[in-house]
Amino acid sequence: MEFAFTDEQEMIRDSAESFLQDVSTSEAVRSAMVTEAGYDSELWQRICSQMYWQALTIPEEYGGLGLGYVELTILLEEMGRRLLCSPFFSTVGLGVNALLVAGNETQKQQWLPQIAEGSLTATLAYTSRNRWDANSVDVIARAEGDGYVLSGTYKYVPDGHTADLLVIAARSPDSQGQEGISLFALPAQADGVSRKWTPTMDQTRKQAEISLDNVFISADSLLGKSGEAWADLEKVLQLAAIAVSAEQCGGARQALDLTVDYTQERVQFGRTIASFQAIKHRAADMMVQVECSRSAIYYAACVAQEALFDGAVGDELPVASALAKAYCSDAFFHCAAESIQLHGGVGFTWEYDPHLYFKRAKSTETFLGNGAYHREKIAQAIL
Amino acid sequence: MKISFSPEDEQFREEIAIWLKENLTGEFEQLRHRGGPGDEHMFPEERKVWEQHMAKAGWTCPGWPEEYGGRGLSINQQVIFHEEYARVGGPGHMGHIGEGLAGPTIIAFGTEEQKKRFLPGIVDGTEYWCQGYSEPSAGSDLANVKTKAVLDESSGQWVINGQKVWTSLAHESDWCFVIARTEPGSQGHKGLSFLLVPMDQPNIEVRPIEQLTGTSEFNEVFFDEAVTDAANIVGKPGDGWKIAMALLGFERGVSTLGQQMHFQNELDEVIKEAQKSGAAEDPAIRQRIADAWMGLRIMRYNSLRMLSGPQDGSLQKEAMIYKLYWATWHSDLGKLAMDVRGADSEVLPEGPYELDRLQSMYLFTRSDTIYGGTNEIQRNIIAERALGMPKEPKGR
Ligand SMILES: Cc1cc2nc3c(=O)[nH]c(=O)nc-3n(C[C@H](O)[C@H](O)[C@H](O)COP(=O)(O)OP(=O)(O)OC[C@H]3O[C@@H](n4cnc5c(N)ncnc54)[C@H](O)[C@@H]3O)c2cc1C
């Protein structure tokens, strides 16, 4: 056991930190977030060709860097800190994870090298309802000929309107709950797929609705076993929840930093507001939550790494992921809300940044289930 | 970064597990799960015997360097040691103040003679220590210490006058480390010294203070011309503040892992109670139990991050949040322990005021957010030292 970063991991953080500080400024975020795509494709291409982040967790045999979940978590934490607008989370946190967990050799060979070279983005679509468990899978896949015909509508799909490859979940007719679920890899341009951007309160994270109208998918695009994919899907969702938590942790950190900086400048009653104990103590409480978020995601990242590569503590993935998502969701919300409060009136303006974090906090809290949802999962595991 | 243990470490786990299984038996059986925080007044003599028994097999101060009588365990092995110790309900260490505070301070700042004189007694479990910091007018404002010590050249002894208060386990201790003012007329951090004072002398009076639990774990200690040898000063006269602060850093060392294992046992007991009472079905309670479980996991990784940093008593950011976090977590657990019992939580046996383990834990957790620097003081420290916010104005 070694609960500290290696020199290489520290280097990854340093380079991410300085790169993002330059490219994901408040100005850059604001100009990307008002576009429908939600990101600057030139910047994304720069990330893919210079930083190679999209290839980070892809094994070397598929053209990737073959690094692990701890490295990924470091990147996501820094991205969350700068609210980076990019298809990174959807492509890597959802798409790559799904292919790694559920794809067979041929499928990995088909898709991962394209993602690694930066020519393909991906996402995961599974829920049709306002919930995140197995019962939310409502799109129907009928077996037909040497494939399946799919119909139904997916909601809340991250970058669903721009992703090139969709990993989708669907269920066999008349199945329920965790039974009958299958996963497929579907190029977004396939016949019968229609996609619509869903405008959202948090403009830094785009969502879409995807409708399938009798879309034919051949059997070789089935990921894993027909009707038995819930276990894989659940694992992908757990890995993705850790990825979101890492972004939340970074967001919470930045909300704290913004707040401390501002309170050190703002003068009232002849002294900086940072000198008031009421404010110091609230900042201290924010820091406790930020540091605990970091412990939570680093722990979860170590577990995720072992879960992907059959390590000894990999079976802690369900609780580690629920822990990270529950803790970081609440911590980010708390820190972002405090950030607005401690900025006073300017915290309530469009011009200052706290609202961007406050909105990101809420959208990421909801996505894949909020704190209460994940705490109940833990309760089920320990009670 | 990696959280699984190596095969060698797992082998070490087996070694300590077997030793505990074979030794925590017979006369020691009754000590299982006893003597932890809130229960420190229980079985003091028996726990001292247990400590000496552990010492003979080399299991006291296992993280200390071998040259000072420790076992020189790596951090990983210490983690494992604490895990296994708690797993079997190992009794609360009578010598934790010596092992965790006095010893590391003497190792870091003491002279060779002091190391030779004091460390063996801590390792053997034959000499016990208490902490003489707080005074009636020096609580959070520790620098306001008024107890005086003067070096009497003719007798070669420090002569000490003053009063300490809230001194935990003073009545069970052989030695006390005392912060005293050695520079007449000095104020605040200056002019303080760190003295090692024998408790067994007529000029020291220990008076127990009854706590809200009805038991007495802490005391008032009066020094009336009390003495200690001139050599029993750690550092130089005037270094007292620096050393006192470094010691607080040791408080956040590996011993925190043992404390967490104890918390885990308490949480397990709360979960059992919740299952017994049916509270485990209540959605609101389920949320709180899950929260407690998560909080403890996070505490573990907070301390593992902290332990992977420098071990010289200096404070990194992770370490600064540590006390506030665990104290708050533990007092929440205390309340949860009562809430899962519902109305039954009130009921005591007939006879003298006597609490069971969870009741006493519940009440005792009210002190966690007070001793060792209150939550408010912790927040000041975090804001000022970790976040660089302005210092509190002083009234003098
Ligand atoms: C169970 C227990 C065991 C103990 N054991 C020992 C021991 O072995 N040795 C020892 O030396 N001491 C011991 N103590 C003493 C302990 O360290 C002190 O009680 C503690 O430091 C607080 O000091 P005080 O009691 O004088 O409270 P005060 O300092 O008077 O504090 C009262 C309240 O005011 C708040 N406050 C004070 N200053 C500030 C500030 N600047 N900003 C904001 N709020 C402030 C505090 O947070 C607290 O809420 C023990 C205490 C307890 C409860």
Side-chain angles (χ1 to χ4, degrees), chain B residues 35-44 47 94 166-173 206-220 353-355 360 364 367:
Chain B
D39 194 43
E40 294 204 67
H41 56 289
M42 290 307 292
F43 301 110
R47 281 160 55 216
M94 271 309 279
W166 320 126
T167 318
S168 298
L169 298 175
H171 56 297
E172 295 289 349
S173 298
V206 176
R207 291 188 204 151
I209 305 174
E210 190 178 21
Q211 300 175 166
L212 54 68
T213 47
T215 55
S216 291
E217 173 261 359
F218 57 30
N219 306 270
E220 293 178 287
Y353 191 80
E354 203 178 307
L355 308 164
S360 125
F364 196 81
S367 73

Side-chain angles (χ1 to χ4, degrees), chain B residues 91-131:
Chain B
H93 277 299
M94 271 309 279
H96 67 87
I97 299 179
E99 174 173 346
L101 302 178
T105 304
I106 293 169
I107 291 174
F109 300 102
T111 61
E112 278 316 304
E113 289 71 41
Q114 287 168 343
K115 291 176 192 169
K116 280 208 194 82
R117 165 63 191 86
F118 293 109
L119 299 179
I122 297 175
V123 174
D124 296 348
T126 50
E127 286 185 341
Y128 292 87
W129 287 77
C130 60
Q131 175 174 24

Side-chain angles (χ1 to χ4, degrees), chain A residues 277 281, chain B residues 97 130-142 164-170 177 211 217-219 364 366-378 380 392-393:
Chain A
Q277 198 180 69
H281 283 195
Chain B
I97 299 179
C130 60
Q131 175 174 24
Y133 276 24
S134 304
E135 297 182 5
S137 59
S140 298
D141 187 9
L142 182 59
K164 295 291 171 181
V165 70
W166 320 126
T167 318
S168 298
L169 298 175
F177 48 90
Q211 300 175 166
E217 173 261 359
F218 57 30
N219 306 270
F364 196 81
R366 289 295 114 189
S367 73
D368 289 331
T369 51
I370 297 172
Y371 68 77
T374 67
N375 273 16
E376 291 71 31
I377 294 301
Q378 300 301 330
N380 286 347
E392 290 297 296

Side-chain angles (χ1 to χ4, degrees), chain B residues 13 18 36 42 69 85-86 95 103-104 115 132 145 172 210 217 224 230 260 324 380 393:
Chain B
R13 184 187 297 280
I18 290 173
M42 290 307 292
Y85 191 79
K115 291 176 192 169
V145 157
E172 295 289 349
E210 190 178 21
E217 173 261 359
D224 179 13
Q260 284 171 32
L324 174 59
N380 286 347

Side-chain angles (χ1 to χ4, degrees), chain A residues 1-5 9 70 260 263-264 272 274-275 277 279-281 283-285 287-288 291-292 294-295 298-299 302-303 306 313 316 319 323 326-327 372 375-376 378-380 382-383, chain B residues 1-6 9 76 79 271 275 280 286-287 289-291 293-294 297-298 300-302 304-305 308 317-318 321 324-325 376 379-380 382-384 386-392:
Chain A
M1 186 191 65
E2 178 75 62
F3 204 60
F5 294 111
Q9 289 167 340
V70 174
V260 171
T263 61
Q264 296 270 36
T272 63
S275 70
Q277 198 180 69
I279 291 194
K280 286 164 69 177
H281 283 195
D285 285 335
M287 184 174 138
V288 171
E291 291 303 317
C292 290
R294 300 180 79 177
S295 296
Y298 303 154
Y299 156 63
C302 289
V303 172
E306 300 215 357
V313 295
E316 285 183 30
V319 285
L323 177 155
Y327 193 88
R375 275 192 295 273
E376 174 55 30
I378 289 173
Q380 283 167 17
I382 62 172
L383 285 175
Chain B
M1 186 173 264
K2 190 168 184 300
I3 57 172
S4 50
F5 289 99
S6 68
D9 285 338
N76 279 359
V79 172
I271 289 175
Q275 283 163 335
R286 292 171 73 79
Q287 288 283 314
I289 291 177
D291 216 31
W293 183 90
M294 284 166 47
R297 268 298 156 101
I298 287 173
R300 175 181 169 88
Y301 291 101
N302 280 344
L304 292 178
R305 278 172 68 204
S308 68
K317 280 191 177 186
E318 297 90 338
I321 65 157
L324 174 59
Y325 180 77
E376 291 71 31
R379 290 188 177 97
N380 286 347
I382 295 169
E384 292 167 17
L387 298 174
M389 297 170 90
K391 287 221 159 72
E392 290 297 296

